[in-house]
Each structure stands twice: as C-alpha cells, then as structure tokens.
Amino acid sequence: MKKLVQIILFQIVLISSVSGQQWTPDLGNGNFKNPIIYADYSDPDMIKVGDDFYMVASSFNCMPGIPVLHSKDMVNWEIINHVYQSLPLEKYDKTAHGQGAWAPSIRYHNNKFYVYFCTPYDGLFMATTNDPKNDWELTHVVDTEMWEDPCPLWDDNGNAYLVRSKLCGNDLILHKMSKDGKKLLDNGVLIYRDIENDPVIEGPKFFKKDGYYYILAPAGGVGEGWQTALRSKNIYGPYERKTVLHTGNTKINGPHQGGLVDLESGESWFAHFQELKPNGRIVHLNKVNWVDGWPLMGEDINNDGIGEPQTEYKMPNVGKKHPIKTPQTTDEFNAKKFGLQWQWQANPRNEWYSISGKGNIRLNAVQNITKEGNLYYAPNLLLQKFPGPDFVATTKVSFRGDLVGDKGGLVIMGRSWTSLYVTKNETGFKLEMSKSDSNKCDGIAEVIESIALDSDVVYLRVKIVGNTTGQYEYSLDNKNFKAIGDEFRTKEGVWIGAKVGLFCVNPNMQQSKGFTDFDWFRVE
C-alpha cells in the first residue's frame, strides 16, 4: 500500500430488497397512487400559474433552503430551484438542527412569485422573483420569536393581509400588510381560537373564493391531526369551522397541511403531508369536492361527513398527459454545480468542496473537532432525502488522506446515524463502520467494525429496506459482498426525515490537506 498518495476507489450501493426502482406515483394507466412524493417535502404548499404547478416545502436547517418543485399535472414533480442558498444569520453557519425555515407559503401576485416563511427564533422572511427558476430576493421582514407558518392574501379590494400561527399556541393572527408585501402595518388581531375543536392549530393557508375568506389549517398535532377549514364573509371573522380531512378508517395518519388549487376542468385538488418516520413528511394528493361551500377532501369512506385520504385515483384532468418525472436523486457531477437534491447541514462555504464540471465532486477534509469529529455537528455533510421506502444508489469514490483521522465516505444521518468510510491511521488505511446517537451525552461515534485495507479497490454497499432497516457490506471485486458492522435502524432527524449522503472530515486541531473525490452518485 502506498503511503499518503494511495488512492482507494470504492463503490457505495444502496440496494432495495424489492425492485431497485424509485417510487413512481404515476401508474401510467391514467391513475396515480399516493404518496405522490415518497420523500420528506414537509409542510407543502402548492399553487397553479397558467399551466404550471409550483410547490415549496420546509427545509429547516438544511441549505440551500426551501426547495421549489415544478409539475404539469400535480403528480410528476421535479426540483427546479431553492428560495435561498443560505440564511443571512451567523447562527446558521453551524448546525442548528430543527431551526431554519418552517412551513413556507407560495403565492403569485402581479406577475411576481412570493414565498413567506418564519424561523422559530428569527422572525418573518419574504422572498420574491419573477421566475421561480432564477434568483429570489430575500427580505427579513420582522425580527421576532415564536412566530410560525405565515401566508399572505392580496384581497380584491386592493388591501394586503398576512395570517400566521404561533409556536406552541392555538391562535391564528391576522395582520394588515403593505401592498408590496414587505411590511406589516399593525400588531395583528386574533381571528381564531378554538382549543376544544382545534388544539395546536397552525400552518394556515389563506385564499378567497365565491365571496368567502377561507383558511385551511391543520390542527391536532403533526402525527395524529386533521385538516380544518375556516370560512367567513368578513376577513376578521367570525369564522365557521369544519373538519374536512382526517384519518378515518384509513391507515394514513395525520393527513393535513398543504395547498389547494382549482383547475379549468372544474376539479379541485389538495396536496398535503403524512408524517411517516423515519422518511419524514411525505406528500399526498387528494381530490376536493365542494359541498355546501366546504372543501371536502378525499373520499368519505365511513359516511361521517369528513373526507379520508385516497390511496389511488384518476389523474387530475389538466387537459393532456405529461411525462413521468420524480424529484432528482442521481448526480453524475458533470456540471459545475451539484444537483438540486443535495443540501448541507448549515450555511455552505466554498472551501468545503470543488466541482469542475468534468465528472466529479471533491469534498475536502474540513476540520470538525466538535466532540472528536461527531458527524451530527458537522455542517459540511452533503445529504439528500430518502427517495422512498426502498432505494438503490451507487457512488464511485477516491479517498486521499493527509492526517491520521481523516475520513471520507457514506453517511445515513438522523437523530441516530451510521457511517461507512475509509480513514487514515498510522500505518495506512482502514475501512470502518460506526454509529452514534444524538441522545448520548458525549455523542462520540462508536466504531462497530474495522478492517485493514490491502487493496487499492474496495466496494461498499448499504441496504435500506422498508425505510427503517440498513446493513452495510463491502467487497473487493464488486461481486462477493460481506456484511460489515451491525444491522441498524434508521431514524428521523429534528423535524426532518433521515437522509443519505457523502462526507469528508478531519477531527484534528491541525488543518488537513486530505480530500475525497466522488465521481458520481446514482439512484435507480
């Protein structure tokens, strides 16, 4: 084995025990199945502009933040952008698990796209653009704490308003807003509170239809809640209420929080989430039937007057059929930017990586002395969402260590996490599988198994089965694989699902010149 300059090529494969195909909701026969996105696009909001549909979702501490997705039929989606590359606050230069952007709303007004969101301790933000594929202008509207889930409404009388909820509260608050959407003009007025029927009401989505002001808001909590609809002829209320979607006789827990759109065909549809740990909050689509002025969602299976989510339904009538698409996962690293599916754990820095557009991305051995290199606190993990209950991904990697302790490879990240990586020691290189848990006081990863490498080529594999179970394997010939370490359970992160990705770190006080090159990362 050559010293220092030895390059180890290895292939990382995530293997599905079932089919190896990414979750595809479009069945190709005129029907679709739920979820329409089997990945953690939490707190989705959706709008229609012309023949195009746009969706945004929470991103919390992950950067770039607030993914923007596009579809032609509300079933086949792809990522087209993010609202921001980083948040303009120093705290997000480090990992701030569970903070960052919560429950954004997207609207289109006067030929502009608007996205509003709050962070739990930094206040209200607004972003605008003329084209959601291009740069967004980000404005920090109000510096405050304990606000969440804002949504604007430009009324047909020329006035502008913003409705929001409160962190750990049961109230909906209405503000008057400047017409350009950049200022709030009052302290806000309480317009709805009903703790008996709607405890923990949040995520309001505001619109006007047929003379009524409607607010769609989830209540009852993330995992087991329901969707409430409010309506009033007066924007300040009083508001009538009705539960319009719940679990009912189905197995879809907590179906709520999302966006409603109307089609020229007369159909209405509601995109919402279901919390499915450890995948996170996956996205469902249900048809809406307007009954006596109320948007009843899904199908009233048990005849209680409340909609229940559907597992399969006819494709939305948008006038024609569109190609099958799913949010991106594979990245050949052939462009000068990595794919839109990737996010860091904090505000990104240029020194973390380089990408030439010639077929690889280089992750540098960034210093991470926090708790002796604990990956939970490493801001420079390049991660993406679990793409389904079972999935296959492959990456080709070249590792070059500089200092003892440098390591680079694959990580499955959540409140507990595992990694399989090549690391440099005093005599050469080792292959290690380790795991850790954020609930441990020291948080130092435990090495489960370690083997010396005496070959220039090693292949690594991790099997993710049914969202929850993983097993790493390795091979020297890409044919005969041997298990390494324990079978492990995947676990969600703070308000987000488990993620898979790549890393290269240095746990030493001394700066390292080490790096890891990733030629590609493929999900089938």
Side-chain angles (χ1 to χ4, degrees):
M1 182 182 294
K2 297 180 181 179
K3 296 182 179 180
L4 296 178
V5 297
Q6 179 177 19
I7 297 176
I8 300 170
L9 302 176
F10 64 90
Q11 189 173 35
I12 303 167
V13 183
L14 309 174
I15 299 294
S16 166
S17 65
V18 183
S19 66
Q21 292 186 347
Q22 190 168 345
W23 180 270
T24 305
D26 189 336
L27 299 176
N29 59 1
N31 289 353
F32 72 92
K33 65 180 178 180
N34 273 314
I36 55 168
I37 305 178
Y38 208 128
D40 184 35
Y41 288 90
S42 176
D43 312 317
D45 191 24
M46 176 176 64
I47 60 169
K48 180 179 182 295
V49 179
D51 295 330
D52 299 287
F53 300 91
Y54 298 94
M55 182 188 294
V56 293
S58 297
S59 53
F60 301 97
N61 61 289
C62 304
M63 308 289 176
I66 306 187
V68 182
L69 293 89
H70 172 263
S71 176
K72 284 289 189 178
D73 57 15
M74 293 182 288
V75 173
N76 295 288
W77 292 91
E78 63 179 346
I79 316 166
I80 61 168
N81 204 355
H82 289 84
V83 170
Y84 57 84
Q85 295 301 305
S86 61
L87 282 173
L89 296 167
E90 186 177 349
K91 65 187 290 185
Y92 295 106
D93 291 344
K94 297 182 179 181
T95 51
H97 290 289
Q99 298 190 44
W102 289 23
S105 294
I106 183 170
R107 291 295 182 266
Y108 184 71
H109 173 69
N110 280 351
N111 299 316
K112 275 191 175 183
F113 292 85
Y114 292 78
V115 166
Y116 284 79
F117 66 95
C118 286
T119 74
Y121 305 110
D122 311 303
L124 173 66
F125 293 80
M126 181 269 282
T128 59
T129 186
N130 295 320
D131 183 348
K133 292 182 179 180
N134 291 336
D135 291 341
W136 293 68
E137 177 187 347
L138 184 64
T139 300
H140 195 172
V141 180
V142 177
D143 183 1
T144 186
E145 297 186 19
M146 309 301 283
W147 287 18
E148 63 177 8
D149 308 354
C151 184
L153 172 68
W154 285 268
D155 204 350
D156 47 23
N157 60 15
N159 294 324
Y161 300 90
L162 185 92
V163 67
R164 63 171 175 86
S165 51
K166 298 195 299 185
L167 187 66
C168 303
N170 300 286
D171 302 343
L172 298 182
I173 309 297
L174 181 67
H175 296 269
K176 283 187 177 179
M177 188 170 62
S178 62
K179 292 182 180 180
D180 64 2
K182 292 185 176 182
K183 293 181 180 179
L184 300 186
L185 303 180
D186 60 24
N187 293 332
V189 176
L190 174 67
I191 60 169
Y192 184 76
R193 175 193 289 156
D194 186 343
I195 298 176
E196 181 178 354
N197 290 303
D198 290 318
V200 197
I201 195 163
E202 54 191 346
K205 296 296 180 281
F206 211 3
F207 64 94
K208 193 174 184 181
K209 179 182 175 70
D210 299 331
Y212 278 102
Y213 295 94
Y214 286 92
I215 299 175
L216 301 180
V222 171
E224 302 299 332
W226 55 88
Q227 184 67 33
T228 293
L230 308 175
R231 70 178 187 184
S232 176
K233 291 283 188 177
N234 187 315
I235 197 168
Y236 287 98
Y239 280 85
E240 306 172 81
R241 76 163 301 278
K242 186 175 180 62
T243 302
V244 294
L245 181 68
H246 68 166
T247 296
N249 289 358
T250 74
K251 296 182 180 180
I252 309 301
N253 62 295
H256 59 21
Q257 186 150 334
L260 185 148
V261 299
D262 297 323
L263 306 184
E264 285 80 359
S265 61
E267 295 177 355
S268 297
W269 293 85
F270 183 64
H272 63 91
F273 76 70
Q274 170 202 8
E275 184 178 61
L276 190 64
K277 298 177 181 180
N279 265 73
R281 302 177 193 178
I282 62 178
V283 185
H284 290 242
L285 183 69
N286 275 281
K287 194 173 182 182
V288 176
N289 293 307
W290 288 89
V291 179
D292 298 327
W294 293 103
L296 298 181
M297 301 163 177
E299 182 181 359
D300 185 5
I301 299 172
N302 59 8
N303 296 315
D304 63 358
I306 303 173
E308 295 158 85
Q310 299 158 314
T311 56
E312 184 175 331
Y313 202 78
K314 185 184 297 184
M315 293 282 290
N317 182 6
V318 295
K320 61 180 180 179
K321 182 175 176 59
H322 292 278
I324 291 177
K325 293 183 178 180
T326 55
Q328 299 94 303
T329 52
T330 290
D331 198 340
E332 297 292 331
F333 300 125
N334 288 332
K336 291 187 176 180
K337 294 182 179 180
F338 52 75
L340 294 169
Q341 62 270 35
W342 296 105
Q343 294 174 298
W344 306 99
Q345 289 204 119
N347 284 339
R349 296 185 178 184
N350 291 334
E351 58 264 31
W352 291 353
Y353 73 101
S354 62
I355 185 166
S356 64
K358 297 180 180 179
N360 66 68
I361 185 171
R362 174 168 294 182
L363 300 186
N364 297 316
V366 174
Q367 191 177 45
N368 176 33
I369 59 176
T370 300
K371 294 193 176 180
E372 289 71 45
N374 188 300
L375 296 181
Y376 187 74
Y377 302 96
N380 59 309
L381 306 187
L382 189 62
L383 305 173
Q384 61 174 273
K385 307 172 191 301
F386 275 21
D390 308 282
F391 57 94
V392 176
T394 307
T395 188
K396 181 181 179 182
V397 179
S398 300
F399 171 79
R400 179 170 292 169
D402 176 27
L403 301 179
V404 170
D406 283 357
K407 61 185 69 173
L410 174 70
V411 60
I412 304 294
M413 176 55 61
R415 287 181 184 265
S416 61
W417 63 98
T418 62
S419 57
L420 183 61
Y421 53 87
V422 179
T423 184
K424 179 177 172 58
N425 63 7
E426 292 81 357
T427 59
F429 294 92
K430 295 188 297 183
L431 177 66
E432 293 184 343
M433 183 267 176
S434 68
K435 65 180 181 180
S436 190
D437 192 321
S438 63
N439 292 323
K440 291 183 178 179
C441 184
D442 60 15
I444 299 173
E446 176 187 4
V447 176
I448 304 302
E449 187 170 348
S450 176
I451 60 172
L453 291 176
D454 55 6
S455 170
D456 288 344
V457 178
V458 60
Y459 300 88
L460 306 183
R461 171 182 289 172
V462 59
K463 298 180 178 179
I464 302 296
V465 179
N467 304 320
T468 60
T469 304
Q471 175 67 62
Y472 291 109
E473 299 175 349
Y474 74 97
S475 171
L476 299 179
D477 59 9
N478 201 24
K479 295 179 181 179
N480 301 299
F481 282 85
K482 182 179 180 180
I484 180 171
D486 299 336
E487 184 178 85
F488 61 89
R489 303 284 289 180
T490 61
K491 192 172 184 179
E492 69 282 354
V494 182
W495 301 122
I496 65 175
K499 303 185 89 171
V500 58
L502 312 172
F503 74 96
C504 185
V505 298
N506 159 37
N508 300 289
M509 294 289 183
Q510 182 183 352
Q511 297 290 344
S512 173
K513 296 179 182 179
F515 59 84
T516 308
D517 285 342
F518 297 85
D519 283 12
W520 34 257
F521 186 90
R522 295 170 185 162
V523 179
E524 300 177 10

